[in-house]
Amino acid sequence: MRFAPLFLLVLLSACTRTQDLTPPLLGVTSPQGGVVAQGRSVRVEGYALDDGGVQSVRVSSAQGERELLAADERGKKLVGFKFRLEAPQSGQVELTLSATNTAGLRQTLKLPLLLDARPPVIKIERLEPAYETRTRSRQVEVTKPANPNDPTSTPQTVQETRTESFQVQTGIRITGRVSDDTGVDRVTLEYGGRYSPLSLPKGKDVSFFVEVPAKRATVIAVDAAGNRASRDVP
């Protein structure tokens, strides 16, 4: 029994060393790394976890470094943080997050983001009317001349049915292209109060051809960040 206190002391010392050698757990809940964010501003949220207590959470970028943890939060085992990144211009941005526990051990996390403030570019390459050939029948009066071989014959007026062909514009054909630096997510046509999404692949440069059953339409494009552009046709 005299060895029990010594064994307990060794066990507690081992646990303490294990905790001291483990840096905090650091995670980001929003947004995910590599995400495309709309505009030049994005809200970042996350957490830090450490059994011995979190002493500091910092973020660094091209604009500098700052502390995210309030004074009354220091020393807690689980802390949350949130901040808004305001970038001077759209483009690739990489943040470095770091969490330090009360033992001085540090964990770092890289968070690459793509900020996009530019809407897609819609280019109409060709626009032409779409026609349909239709037929209609109408009654006309036709005067038939007298029969020259019959002295009693006189000219006669009779009704005849004639069929006519004509063309009617039923819509427009649109050939175009949508381009965006971060990628085109979707293209939709609006006409007559209806919205019709086009079945197109996603990419930075997307071509489309569509026939619209209307004389006017609006092409709407949305990029991967949610930026929206529209163009009326014609």
Side-chain angles (χ1 to χ4, degrees):
M1 293 297 296
R2 64 176 180 271
F3 296 105
L6 178 61
F7 176 76
L8 180 60
L9 178 61
V10 172
L11 181 61
L12 290 175
S13 299
C15 292
T16 302
R17 287 197 301 270
T18 301
Q19 292 176 359
D20 289 345
L21 294 176
T22 303
L25 178 64
L26 181 61
V28 174
T29 57
S30 176
Q32 298 298 316
V35 73
V36 179
Q38 186 177 15
R40 295 190 298 270
S41 176
V42 62
R43 183 181 178 89
V44 181
E45 297 184 18
Y47 65 91
L49 173 65
D50 190 89
D51 289 339
V54 180
Q55 183 64 25
S56 172
V57 178
R58 303 183 70 85
V59 58
S60 62
S61 65
Q63 285 71 51
E65 187 178 51
R66 56 175 165 153
E67 175 66 46
L68 301 177
L69 199 61
D72 59 353
E73 291 288 307
R74 294 175 183 176
K76 293 184 177 180
K77 293 184 177 181
L78 176 63
V79 296
F81 61 85
K82 57 185 176 182
F83 64 93
R84 183 170 292 277
L85 170 67
E86 298 288 348
Q89 61 183 7
S90 59
Q92 187 74 38
V93 177
E94 184 175 79
L95 303 178
T96 300
L97 296 167
S98 64
T100 306
N101 63 12
T102 53
L105 298 175
R106 185 183 184 191
Q107 179 71 272
T108 61
L109 177 66
K110 299 290 187 180
L111 183 65
L113 297 171
L114 184 59
L115 305 181
D116 182 17
R118 293 183 293 270
V121 177
I122 303 172
K123 182 179 179 181
I124 304 301
E125 298 177 333
R126 186 176 181 182
L127 176 64
E128 58 184 353
Y131 291 101
E132 180 180 289
T133 301
R134 299 178 181 177
T135 59
R136 62 185 174 192
S137 299
R138 65 187 183 94
Q139 297 290 324
V140 296
E141 290 185 347
V142 178
T143 301
K144 292 185 176 181
N147 187 350
N149 298 322
D150 184 359
T152 62
S153 176
T154 59
Q156 294 184 353
T157 300
V158 297
Q159 296 284 333
E160 287 188 355
T161 300
R162 292 186 177 179
T163 301
E164 298 177 340
S165 297
F166 61 98
Q167 287 190 325
V168 176
Q169 182 179 350
T170 57
I172 51 177
R173 295 188 181 96
I174 308 171
T175 303
R177 183 182 303 272
V178 180
S179 58
D180 188 84
D181 292 341
T182 59
V184 179
D185 183 68
R186 60 188 181 274
V187 180
T188 304
L189 284 179
E190 186 276 327
Y191 56 92
R194 297 177 54 189
Y195 290 86
S196 178
L198 303 184
S199 180
L200 300 173
K202 297 182 180 181
K204 293 186 177 181
D205 193 67
V206 178
S207 299
F208 65 91
F209 169 78
V210 63
E211 183 171 322
V212 184
K215 295 182 180 181
R216 296 181 180 275
T218 300
V219 182
I220 304 170
V222 181
D223 66 12
N227 296 307
R228 181 181 182 273
S230 63
R231 181 166 178 178
D232 295 332
V233 182

mmCIF file with all atom_site columns, all heavy atoms in Angstrom, residues 90-103:
data_model
loop_
_atom_site.group_PDB
_atom_site.id
_atom_site.type_symbol
_atom_site.label_atom_id
_atom_site.label_alt_id
_atom_site.label_comp_id
_atom_site.label_asym_id
_atom_site.label_entity_id
_atom_site.label_seq_id
_atom_site.pdbx_PDB_ins_code
_atom_site.Cartn_x
_atom_site.Cartn_y
_atom_site.Cartn_z
_atom_site.occupancy
_atom_site.B_iso_or_equiv
_atom_site.pdbx_formal_charge
_atom_site.auth_seq_id
_atom_site.auth_comp_id
_atom_site.auth_asym_id
_atom_site.auth_atom_id
_atom_site.pdbx_PDB_model_num
ATOM 1  N N   . SER A 1 90  ? -10.566 42.142 -54.723 1.00 0.00 ? 90  SER A N   1
ATOM 2  C CA  . SER A 1 90  ? -10.928 40.740 -54.878 1.00 0.00 ? 90  SER A CA  1
ATOM 3  C C   . SER A 1 90  ? -9.728  39.956 -55.387 1.00 0.00 ? 90  SER A C   1
ATOM 4  O O   . SER A 1 90  ? -8.803  40.503 -55.977 1.00 0.00 ? 90  SER A O   1
ATOM 5  C CB  . SER A 1 90  ? -12.108 40.598 -55.833 1.00 0.00 ? 90  SER A CB  1
ATOM 6  O OG  . SER A 1 90  ? -11.785 41.152 -57.096 1.00 0.00 ? 90  SER A OG  1
ATOM 7  N N   . GLY A 1 91  ? -9.750  38.653 -55.142 1.00 0.00 ? 91  GLY A N   1
ATOM 8  C CA  . GLY A 1 91  ? -8.647  37.789 -55.549 1.00 0.00 ? 91  GLY A CA  1
ATOM 9  C C   . GLY A 1 91  ? -8.337  36.764 -54.477 1.00 0.00 ? 91  GLY A C   1
ATOM 10 O O   . GLY A 1 91  ? -9.096  36.566 -53.524 1.00 0.00 ? 91  GLY A O   1
ATOM 11 N N   . GLN A 1 92  ? -7.205  36.094 -54.619 1.00 0.00 ? 92  GLN A N   1
ATOM 12 C CA  . GLN A 1 92  ? -6.802  35.049 -53.684 1.00 0.00 ? 92  GLN A CA  1
ATOM 13 C C   . GLN A 1 92  ? -6.287  35.655 -52.384 1.00 0.00 ? 92  GLN A C   1
ATOM 14 O O   . GLN A 1 92  ? -5.464  36.574 -52.390 1.00 0.00 ? 92  GLN A O   1
ATOM 15 C CB  . GLN A 1 92  ? -5.714  34.181 -54.316 1.00 0.00 ? 92  GLN A CB  1
ATOM 16 C CG  . GLN A 1 92  ? -5.339  32.962 -53.489 1.00 0.00 ? 92  GLN A CG  1
ATOM 17 C CD  . GLN A 1 92  ? -6.400  31.877 -53.525 1.00 0.00 ? 92  GLN A CD  1
ATOM 18 O OE1 . GLN A 1 92  ? -7.018  31.648 -54.561 1.00 0.00 ? 92  GLN A OE1 1
ATOM 19 N NE2 . GLN A 1 92  ? -6.619  31.210 -52.418 1.00 0.00 ? 92  GLN A NE2 1
ATOM 20 N N   . VAL A 1 93  ? -6.797  35.149 -51.268 1.00 0.00 ? 93  VAL A N   1
ATOM 21 C CA  . VAL A 1 93  ? -6.382  35.606 -49.938 1.00 0.00 ? 93  VAL A CA  1
ATOM 22 C C   . VAL A 1 93  ? -6.104  34.375 -49.086 1.00 0.00 ? 93  VAL A C   1
ATOM 23 O O   . VAL A 1 93  ? -6.853  33.399 -49.137 1.00 0.00 ? 93  VAL A O   1
ATOM 24 C CB  . VAL A 1 93  ? -7.477  36.472 -49.268 1.00 0.00 ? 93  VAL A CB  1
ATOM 25 C CG1 . VAL A 1 93  ? -7.056  36.869 -47.863 1.00 0.00 ? 93  VAL A CG1 1
ATOM 26 C CG2 . VAL A 1 93  ? -7.755  37.713 -50.095 1.00 0.00 ? 93  VAL A CG2 1
ATOM 27 N N   . GLU A 1 94  ? -5.042  34.415 -48.313 1.00 0.00 ? 94  GLU A N   1
ATOM 28 C CA  . GLU A 1 94  ? -4.749  33.317 -47.394 1.00 0.00 ? 94  GLU A CA  1
ATOM 29 C C   . GLU A 1 94  ? -4.632  33.855 -45.980 1.00 0.00 ? 94  GLU A C   1
ATOM 30 O O   . GLU A 1 94  ? -3.844  34.767 -45.713 1.00 0.00 ? 94  GLU A O   1
ATOM 31 C CB  . GLU A 1 94  ? -3.470  32.584 -47.788 1.00 0.00 ? 94  GLU A CB  1
ATOM 32 C CG  . GLU A 1 94  ? -3.204  31.374 -46.887 1.00 0.00 ? 94  GLU A CG  1
ATOM 33 C CD  . GLU A 1 94  ? -2.004  30.561 -47.320 1.00 0.00 ? 94  GLU A CD  1
ATOM 34 O OE1 . GLU A 1 94  ? -0.872  30.995 -47.005 1.00 0.00 ? 94  GLU A OE1 1
ATOM 35 O OE2 . GLU A 1 94  ? -2.194  29.509 -47.958 1.00 0.00 ? 94  GLU A OE2 1
ATOM 36 N N   . LEU A 1 95  ? -5.421  33.288 -45.081 1.00 0.00 ? 95  LEU A N   1
ATOM 37 C CA  . LEU A 1 95  ? -5.380  33.656 -43.670 1.00 0.00 ? 95  LEU A CA  1
ATOM 38 C C   . LEU A 1 95  ? -4.608  32.593 -42.898 1.00 0.00 ? 95  LEU A C   1
ATOM 39 O O   . LEU A 1 95  ? -4.652  31.400 -43.237 1.00 0.00 ? 95  LEU A O   1
ATOM 40 C CB  . LEU A 1 95  ? -6.787  33.776 -43.103 1.00 0.00 ? 95  LEU A CB  1
ATOM 41 C CG  . LEU A 1 95  ? -7.742  34.757 -43.781 1.00 0.00 ? 95  LEU A CG  1
ATOM 42 C CD1 . LEU A 1 95  ? -9.105  34.702 -43.109 1.00 0.00 ? 95  LEU A CD1 1
ATOM 43 C CD2 . LEU A 1 95  ? -7.185  36.170 -43.744 1.00 0.00 ? 95  LEU A CD2 1
ATOM 44 N N   . THR A 1 96  ? -3.935  33.025 -41.837 1.00 0.00 ? 96  THR A N   1
ATOM 45 C CA  . THR A 1 96  ? -3.267  32.097 -40.924 1.00 0.00 ? 96  THR A CA  1
ATOM 46 C C   . THR A 1 96  ? -3.878  32.280 -39.547 1.00 0.00 ? 96  THR A C   1
ATOM 47 O O   . THR A 1 96  ? -3.790  33.364 -38.954 1.00 0.00 ? 96  THR A O   1
ATOM 48 C CB  . THR A 1 96  ? -1.757  32.359 -40.868 1.00 0.00 ? 96  THR A CB  1
ATOM 49 O OG1 . THR A 1 96  ? -1.195  32.193 -42.172 1.00 0.00 ? 96  THR A OG1 1
ATOM 50 C CG2 . THR A 1 96  ? -1.094  31.374 -39.921 1.00 0.00 ? 96  THR A CG2 1
ATOM 51 N N   . LEU A 1 97  ? -4.522  31.233 -39.060 1.00 0.00 ? 97  LEU A N   1
ATOM 52 C CA  . LEU A 1 97  ? -5.116  31.242 -37.726 1.00 0.00 ? 97  LEU A CA  1
ATOM 53 C C   . LEU A 1 97  ? -4.198  30.487 -36.777 1.00 0.00 ? 97  LEU A C   1
ATOM 54 O O   . LEU A 1 97  ? -3.617  29.452 -37.145 1.00 0.00 ? 97  LEU A O   1
ATOM 55 C CB  . LEU A 1 97  ? -6.492  30.588 -37.748 1.00 0.00 ? 97  LEU A CB  1
ATOM 56 C CG  . LEU A 1 97  ? -7.566  31.298 -38.580 1.00 0.00 ? 97  LEU A CG  1
ATOM 57 C CD1 . LEU A 1 97  ? -8.766  30.393 -38.762 1.00 0.00 ? 97  LEU A CD1 1
ATOM 58 C CD2 . LEU A 1 97  ? -7.973  32.599 -37.922 1.00 0.00 ? 97  LEU A CD2 1
ATOM 59 N N   . SER A 1 98  ? -4.080  30.968 -35.557 1.00 0.00 ? 98  SER A N   1
ATOM 60 C CA  . SER A 1 98  ? -3.244  30.297 -34.557 1.00 0.00 ? 98  SER A CA  1
ATOM 61 C C   . SER A 1 98  ? -3.933  30.327 -33.200 1.00 0.00 ? 98  SER A C   1
ATOM 62 O O   . SER A 1 98  ? -4.587  31.308 -32.847 1.00 0.00 ? 98  SER A O   1
ATOM 63 C CB  . SER A 1 98  ? -1.865  30.957 -34.465 1.00 0.00 ? 98  SER A CB  1
ATOM 64 O OG  . SER A 1 98  ? -1.975  32.293 -34.010 1.00 0.00 ? 98  SER A OG  1
ATOM 65 N N   . ALA A 1 99  ? -3.803  29.236 -32.477 1.00 0.00 ? 99  ALA A N   1
ATOM 66 C CA  . ALA A 1 99  ? -4.350  29.131 -31.122 1.00 0.00 ? 99  ALA A CA  1
ATOM 67 C C   . ALA A 1 99  ? -3.233  28.671 -30.189 1.00 0.00 ? 99  ALA A C   1
ATOM 68 O O   . ALA A 1 99  ? -2.489  27.736 -30.503 1.00 0.00 ? 99  ALA A O   1
ATOM 69 C CB  . ALA A 1 99  ? -5.522  28.153 -31.087 1.00 0.00 ? 99  ALA A CB  1
ATOM 70 N N   . THR A 1 100 ? -3.128  29.314 -29.031 1.00 0.00 ? 100 THR A N   1
ATOM 71 C CA  . THR A 1 100 ? -2.095  28.989 -28.051 1.00 0.00 ? 100 THR A CA  1
ATOM 72 C C   . THR A 1 100 ? -2.765  28.637 -26.734 1.00 0.00 ? 100 THR A C   1
ATOM 73 O O   . THR A 1 100 ? -3.692  29.336 -26.292 1.00 0.00 ? 100 THR A O   1
ATOM 74 C CB  . THR A 1 100 ? -1.145  30.183 -27.838 1.00 0.00 ? 100 THR A CB  1
ATOM 75 O OG1 . THR A 1 100 ? -0.624  30.596 -29.105 1.00 0.00 ? 100 THR A OG1 1
ATOM 76 C CG2 . THR A 1 100 ? 0.002   29.809 -26.918 1.00 0.00 ? 100 THR A CG2 1
ATOM 77 N N   . ASN A 1 101 ? -2.307  27.550 -26.098 1.00 0.00 ? 101 ASN A N   1
ATOM 78 C CA  . ASN A 1 101 ? -2.897  27.165 -24.820 1.00 0.00 ? 101 ASN A CA  1
ATOM 79 C C   . ASN A 1 101 ? -2.112  27.781 -23.662 1.00 0.00 ? 101 ASN A C   1
ATOM 80 O O   . ASN A 1 101 ? -1.133  28.512 -23.864 1.00 0.00 ? 101 ASN A O   1
ATOM 81 C CB  . ASN A 1 101 ? -2.990  25.641 -24.697 1.00 0.00 ? 101 ASN A CB  1
ATOM 82 C CG  . ASN A 1 101 ? -1.622  24.971 -24.723 1.00 0.00 ? 101 ASN A CG  1
ATOM 83 O OD1 . ASN A 1 101 ? -0.587  25.619 -24.611 1.00 0.00 ? 101 ASN A OD1 1
ATOM 84 N ND2 . ASN A 1 101 ? -1.621  23.653 -24.883 1.00 0.00 ? 101 ASN A ND2 1
ATOM 85 N N   . THR A 1 102 ? -2.548  27.497 -22.437 1.00 0.00 ? 102 THR A N   1
ATOM 86 C CA  . THR A 1 102 ? -1.919  28.107 -21.257 1.00 0.00 ? 102 THR A CA  1
ATOM 87 C C   . THR A 1 102 ? -0.499  27.602 -21.048 1.00 0.00 ? 102 THR A C   1
ATOM 88 O O   . THR A 1 102 ? 0.288   28.246 -20.330 1.00 0.00 ? 102 THR A O   1
ATOM 89 C CB  . THR A 1 102 ? -2.768  27.816 -20.014 1.00 0.00 ? 102 THR A CB  1
ATOM 90 O OG1 . THR A 1 102 ? -2.992  26.396 -19.918 1.00 0.00 ? 102 THR A OG1 1
ATOM 91 C CG2 . THR A 1 102 ? -4.108  28.528 -20.095 1.00 0.00 ? 102 THR A CG2 1
ATOM 92 N N   . ALA A 1 103 ? -0.154  26.470 -21.672 1.00 0.00 ? 103 ALA A N   1
ATOM 93 C CA  . ALA A 1 103 ? 1.207   25.949 -21.563 1.00 0.00 ? 103 ALA A CA  1
ATOM 94 C C   . ALA A 1 103 ? 2.134   26.537 -22.620 1.00 0.00 ? 103 ALA A C   1
ATOM 95 O O   . ALA A 1 103 ? 3.320   26.224 -22.646 1.00 0.00 ? 103 ALA A O   1
ATOM 96 C CB  . ALA A 1 103 ? 1.187   24.424 -21.681 1.00 0.00 ? 103 ALA A CB  1
#
